[in-house]
Amino acid sequence: MVLLWKLISLLPFMSCSTEEETLHGPVFIQEQHDITYSMASANPEILLNCTARGPLPYCRWKQNGTHIDLTTSYHYRLVGGSLAINNPHKKQDIGTYQCLATNSFGTIQSRTAKLQFAYLENFETKPRNTVSVREGQGVVLHCGLPPHYGSMVNNYILLSCTWIFNNNTLCVQEDSCRFVSQETGNLYLAKVESSDVGNYTCDLTNSRADQSVQVSPTPLTLHSNGVMGEEPKIEVCFPETTIAAKGSGVNFALGNPVPSISWKRSDGNSLTKKIEHSKTKGVLEIPNVQQEDEGSYECIAGNIGINIARGQLFVHGKQERIQIENGSLIIPMLNMSDSGLYCVAENKCGTIYANAELRVIAAAPDFSKNPVKKKSVVQVGGEVTIGCKPSAYCKFGARKSARQVNSRLQVILLDGSLRLYNITKPDAGVYTCIATNQFGVARNSGNLIVKERTVITIPPSNMDITVGESFVLPCQVSHDPSVDVVFIWSFNGSRIDFNRGIHHFERIGKESVWDLMIRKIQLYHSGKYVCTVQTTLDSQSTTVYIIVRGPPGPPEDVKVEDISSTTTVLSWKSGIDNNSPVQTYSVQTRTPFSVGWQVVSTVPEVISGRTHKATVVELSPWVEYEFCVAASNSVGIGEPSRPSALLKTKAAVPAVAPTTISGGGGSHSELVITWEPVPEEVKGEGFGYIVMFRHLGSATWTKAVVASAEASKYVYRNESIKPLSPFEVKVGVYNNEGEGTLSSISIAYSGEDEPQIAPVGVCTVSAAEVEISWQPIAWNRHTGRVLGYEVLYWTDDPKESTAGKVRVRGNVTAKNITGLKANTVYFATVRAYNTAGTGPSNTLVNVTTKKSPPSQPLANIAWKLTNSKICLNWEHVKTMENQSEVLGYKILYRQNRHSKTQIQETNNTSAELLVPFEDYLIEIRTVSDGGDGSSSEEIRIPKISKTH
């Protein structure tokens, strides 16, 4: 077998030395093997063995090429170097495992081991269909393998398939007519005879999983249409291409007569003696496959005809490196990179692992492990170090050199690196490092690329902003056009993520411009803003501070002191000034009687921003008050403070007199005095009203007390009072603290008698309206004052409750009553009224409303134009019995898009209209005693051309 060598782990860099080392890398003394675990096993653990010796080795494991993290799972654990798998899971744990042993000299890998799970599931339970063929015909009976694993382990068949024919096991080993494929489980009958009729059952046994299952029987029957001959047909054939260490081909043919099978090589060479095949020659096995076994093979099936199957066998073992002889590895031109641990012999047929350690202690300089960096990128004005660290470059007697460069850059470090300062554009180019020792010379080059620096050309500046404003912070740069630029804005140390749709922040621009728009800035936006510009080469940033000024915050700790009946002392503490000093304070109050908060008077009248105490004046006694304080600055007025504690002012004599003193009305011999009640907040406990009155010209006042705080009227009764007598009246207030002030004197009149005279009335009638008119009454103190008139109307129909009453005030002597029913009898009467009541009614008037006007519109309207004259004609409208007769017609016309309407009336069924050259709209209505009838459809007369 040809060995392939692979270097998997290199030793650390070694300086030049001739001292012999006694330590070595790790060596395996025990390795794992392939394992097939039965799902029915009683052992809950799998152990994969791995033991290594050497200086302080430690073991790690890979599953399917991925390192197993033993620190995060209790499913795996190390036993020495071996891997224990607890409660194995088929889906999770199946795969290839490999042990890695490591110490300070390197790492070796064990051979791989496969962990498989043996199982065999049941067949489907549904019955099999009957297979019917003609006698002499070949047939395939399918087994249909259920899900399984463990059919073959280490080249041993563990899943075996047998067929049962009519409850007897079929023996097919020595039978050329029957063949069972151990891959598919299918049964092949080359030629069916009458003795083959019956039931066939596929029986599977997995010895590794210790399970057996059977499928439902498949009935086989014969057709009755005779016997047939059939040329050979190869049903089971080896692949067209086979890659194997141990080749095997499988062929089986159907036909009548039963085909004979033979094998040969396509190139004409004879089969080697080591090749084995079964007596039926259906299976060809090539043990111990060698390179000379590679080639094309043919299987020939024949009876009355011939059928040939061909396949190619490839034997892989081509070496990956030259100079490997009989398993020995020969390395010409040895260098330091060849040091390390060697392992792995592999080809396409498989992989085996062995380990050997090679140490190279001295060699010519070599850049293979540490080449000069192929591309170094630096900006103008910067500096760069180009490393030169070849392997096996000894400092003893060594000479370092570099290509001549600008004299400003001549700085070569002790380790051979080249450092360049204050770089300019001409410094770009290729730099070569040459390393030399007694074993040889090595060169390696790298390219230096010089790019322009990134500079912020338009930076933002510090700003002083008022809350609610919008503005832009600029950030524009110049940069090397070949370099991508990334802008980052941050606020108070946190990056602004524009993709999240943050309110207020918006980016503006692209490429070299990335300004920050802040819309409707808020107080919490005060702080530090940083614009950072990043490239793959450098990073630039600029910082600004934004101060947001706003109205002051609410004052704090508002306290009420020294409260009296009308004043109190208020104190408070300053709140946040929001970056603008407080200029003034204002005091507001709220009571159960006020609508919201009201500004109150204080001493001092204007409270400066440095003052935190004031006296509130002009308060009402015996009222509960809450106070708050608001601050203002150059930006505006801030939110008020939290309300103070609820406190009540002390009681006092009422200081507010009633207003709107008046009187009048009432019945005979009564004086009615009314007033506007005083506000609740000025009343106090035990509140009431004092009413004083006297005859006009009298010197003596009559005094009355009204104890109700809600009263607004007082009635004085005396039979000696004459109607409409004038009185002087005034009203005052009092409470438990004493009497307050009185109102000014007002004149009020005593009650009066009802009107004594009835008005004289007439009426006019239409279909839905009646106009009632009357003569005015001349009145005096004896006949009763008249304030207005009242009209009553009703029908005499007991089925309907049509009745109404309307009043007119003053000297109005007519009232139009609308909404009446047509052709209906109504009764109406009129009477005068004043504050004492209503007077007598006039003589009852009965009136019948007219019939309804015609409801049907005009028909057959025709028109024509003659110069500036429109001639109209229509049919006469015939009315129904319950409608008023047509007395004439009314023509309404107006210019289009104008609202002013002109009217022309006629008793005929035609009319002429003189109109200018304009666009006109015309309607025609009937005229009757009941009013106007329905309008015709609107007629449009187009604009008349002046050429006609």
Side-chain angles (χ1 to χ4, degrees), residues 377-381 425 449-453 480 482-483 536-537:
V377 183
V378 67
Q379 291 176 306
V380 173
K425 276 284 188 178
I449 300 173
V450 180
K451 294 184 179 291
E452 295 290 344
R453 297 182 62 84
D480 192 289
S482 65
V483 176
T536 55
L537 303 176

Side-chain angles (χ1 to χ4, degrees), residues 805-872:
K805 179 174 70 174
V806 293
R807 279 189 173 188
V808 294
R809 189 172 179 82
N811 292 324
V812 177
T813 59
K815 178 64 178 175
N816 193 31
I817 302 174
T818 61
L820 303 179
K821 293 180 63 175
N823 197 26
T824 303
V825 177
Y826 281 89
F827 298 92
T829 183
V830 182
R831 57 190 180 185
Y833 74 88
N834 60 20
T835 59
T838 56
S841 299
N842 68 342
T843 304
L844 186 67
V845 177
N846 64 340
V847 59
T848 301
T849 54
K850 301 292 185 180
K851 293 181 180 181
S852 299
S855 59
Q856 55 271 38
L858 279 75
N860 296 328
I861 301 175
W863 61 273
K864 69 178 180 177
L865 294 174
T866 303
N867 295 327
S868 61
K869 183 168 61 177
I870 301 175
C871 298
L872 297 167

